Amino acid sequence: MDIVTRSIVVGIIATGLMDVWALALARFAGIPPTNWGIVGRWFAHLPRGRFVHADIGASEAVANEKAIGWAAHYIIGIVYAWALLVLAGPAWRVAPTLLPALLIAWITVGAGWFILQPGLGLGIAASKRANANQIRMLNLIGHTVFGLGLFIGAVLTR
């Protein structure tokens, strides 16, 4: 399997596992999943030159923002899978181990904390939210699940 196809498959597996985790949290712990429509709204405003919103919920709605958010979520997962497959190298692609997948997943938490959350108006690492520590912990756990998905996807596609 070429690296592009493998990145797509691994990224979808890892992102899908992360979404299953979010559904389980919603069902059993009452923690609402990410609102991908709001994320889509943020992405749709980027070409308009709007990178930071005081409150993304108060920003102008965009057609198909939910679909844009979901697509962005999976495309980013695929890009992260590609980065893992490239950075970990050919030997890892043949015999995947867990640690590199987890390291990529943990590093990518930074994109949410330092790009997406400030852009949505939540502050760095959700610092403007009353439950910032809970959000941070959920981000770390969610990305750990994503890392497990990267590893599982890499094993299944080797």
Side-chain angles (χ1 to χ4, degrees):
M1 185 180 297
D2 70 88
I3 198 161
V4 173
T5 304
R6 191 171 182 192
S7 298
I8 292 168
V9 172
V10 171
I12 289 172
I13 289 169
T15 307
L17 185 60
M18 188 179 190
D19 290 338
V20 168
W21 172 253
L23 289 172
L25 283 176
R27 173 132 170 97
F28 299 111
I31 297 170
T34 300
N35 179 345
W36 294 110
I38 291 296
V39 173
R41 183 179 299 178
W42 180 76
F43 272 102
H45 279 271
L46 291 177
R48 302 172 184 179
R50 188 98 188 265
F51 300 98
V52 177
H53 300 257
D55 174 6
I56 191 68
S59 294
E60 180 185 349
V62 177
N64 302 309
E65 60 189 25
K66 191 171 188 176
I68 294 167
W70 276 102
H73 174 52
Y74 274 83
I75 290 167
I76 291 167
I78 290 165
V79 169
Y80 289 161
W82 176 83
L84 170 63
L85 293 168
V86 168
L87 294 172
W92 187 87
R93 291 193 297 265
V94 172
T97 56
L98 183 58
L99 185 58
L102 288 175
L103 289 174
I104 286 287
W106 292 331
I107 290 167
T108 64
V109 171
W113 286 357
F114 302 112
I115 298 171
L116 182 61
Q117 290 173 359
L120 297 175
L122 305 178
I124 293 173
S127 60
K128 293 182 179 180
R129 297 294 299 266
N131 62 338
N133 286 331
Q134 178 189 31
I135 292 169
R136 292 174 192 140
M137 186 57 62
L138 289 169
N139 294 158
L140 287 168
I141 294 168
H143 278 250
T144 300
V145 171
F146 177 73
L148 291 171
L150 289 172
F151 172 68
I152 291 166
V155 168
L156 292 174
T157 60
R158 66 179 163 193

